[in-house]
Amino acid sequence: MHVPEGFLDVPTSLATGAIAAAGVGLALRGARRELDDRTAPMAGLVATFVFAAQMINFPVGAGTSGHLLGGALAAVLVGPWSAVLCISVVLLVQALFMADGGITALGTNVTLMALVGAGIGWLVFAGLRRVLPRSTPSIVAAAAVAGFVSVLAAATTFTALFSLGGTLPVDPAKVLVAMVGWHTLIALGEAAITGLVVASVIGVRPDLVYGAAPVLQARELEIRLPDSQVVR
Amino acid sequence: MGAGHGHRLHFHAHSPIHRAPAHLKIVALVVFMLVVVATPRQAYAVFAVEAAALVGVVLLSRVPAPYLAKRMVIEVPFAVFAVLVPFVAYGPRIDVLGVSVSEPGLLAAGALLIKGTLGVLASLTLAATTEPQDVLRGLERLRMPDLIVQIMGFMIRYLDVVTAELARMMVAMRSRGCEPRSPQHWPTLARAMGSLFIRSYERGERVHLAMLSRGYDGRLP
């Protein structure tokens, strides 16, 4: 769900725009650490992947559908700063070329989906990774929970912005109930798909999952001989 | 890769709007949208002027109306939401066609719909009259950080390549009796998306190496 034009008033839109610009500025520095001089082509292709992933709709109920936000997924796969950068570019391209999400709401959308979505997603993931045992299943579980929390965090932040500068005469408490209720369903889909995708990438190319790096360092080479003897 | 380098939203034509410098068009779009969003919700005369100005630009750009109308379907989910607002908003109730709705809710929803429609039409007009490469150059002139412009450039370049790859995966899944939308088949969908990520990432690595071998030093010429 992209926030469209005219949903929030001008001061709120400008304020979120400033927050988004500051956040993206930090992400520009951070992404160079994560991806070094490969940043432009790699982030470009990952942004394209996120865009493609967002095209897949899943039924939420009552004949409507939601789509993946992808903030937590991108953060686990390529690291938090690159994820913020990728999601921001996806939103920028969607607003400028596809009229998906308002031009004046771009700052709001970047704040919600890139900063809150990927940022909170990463914090939850990194926190859980520290607590859970060091194994790949815990990476998958942490990614799924991060996906769930990131969607609800974005929905809650939207409600907070709406109560500050919403243009509709609707009670913010009602908006909160509707947003959280609705997004709990979307968050369940997001959690399932985030976990499953991370699991499938770990299964094939574990070295590509940024969030799994600390777990993988603990593995050592095993050579299994035909008589089931294991040489380390 | 023989795929087209343009994007499907660009409409090729020759008009003053097509020829206008991209950075001016981007600034005009942002200023126009700020004015539209700042317009009070019942200033219908101002909305009429704004709509007339926008329609004037569309006519001048010679982009056919059906072309834009088809692409405005992106607005539909949002329009459905706007229609629901009068029913849940607070304030005095009035009867419209025998249904009780909130009066301020109705006015706000109307304004939201007008602003949203103007926004979608204005953005689509920019996209229809400006080549993506020109939009990127315009953003560059507006001091958008170089790295962001480069990432956008790569995203636009590979958008059709990656989405076509996804579309082929979906066809392959469906032809094997798998419905990607159904939660029952999510594990299969997730494996497809996982491999789409790996393919995209590896394509990025190959592109980077190809660029290095052609003298890339962190900046595009």
Side-chain angles (χ1 to χ4, degrees), chain A residues 77-175:
Chain A
L77 289 177
V78 295
W81 296 120
S82 311
V84 168
L85 217 50
C86 293
I87 309 268
S88 304
V89 170
V90 169
L91 292 168
L92 188 58
V93 168
Q94 284 172 334
L96 272 179
F97 296 101
M98 288 138 204
D100 195 2
I103 296 286
T104 56
L106 184 60
T108 310
N109 281 321
V110 168
T111 306
L112 291 176
M113 283 189 257
L115 301 184
V116 174
I120 300 282
W122 174 257
L123 290 179
V124 169
F125 172 78
L128 282 174
R129 191 176 61 179
R130 189 165 290 190
V131 182
L132 291 172
R134 289 164 63 92
S135 65
T136 42
S138 9
I139 294 292
V140 173
V145 175
F148 184 82
V149 176
S150 72
V151 173
L152 286 187
T156 316
T157 314
F158 171 77
T159 317
L161 289 175
F162 182 83
S163 67
L164 285 175
T167 54
L168 298 174
V170 182
D171 189 8
K174 249 185 192 173
V175 177

Side-chain angles (χ1 to χ4, degrees), chain B residues 1 44 48 53 60 62 70 72 79 82 129 132 137-138 141 175-176 181 183-184 196 200 207:
Chain B
M1 291 287 145
Y44 295 114
L60 202 60
R62 288 192 218 140
K70 240 189 283 169
M72 285 181 77
T129 59
R137 251 171 252 131
R141 288 196 68 171
S175 59
R176 286 163 179 77
R181 278 172 61 91
Q184 190 194 338
L196 185 68
S200 305
V207 169

Side-chain angles (χ1 to χ4, degrees), chain B residues 21-41:
Chain B
H23 60 283
L24 290 185
K25 283 191 270 191
I26 296 169
V27 171
L29 174 66
V30 172
V31 170
F32 177 73
M33 282 330 299
L34 281 175
V35 171
V36 167
V37 171
T39 309
R41 68 170 75 137

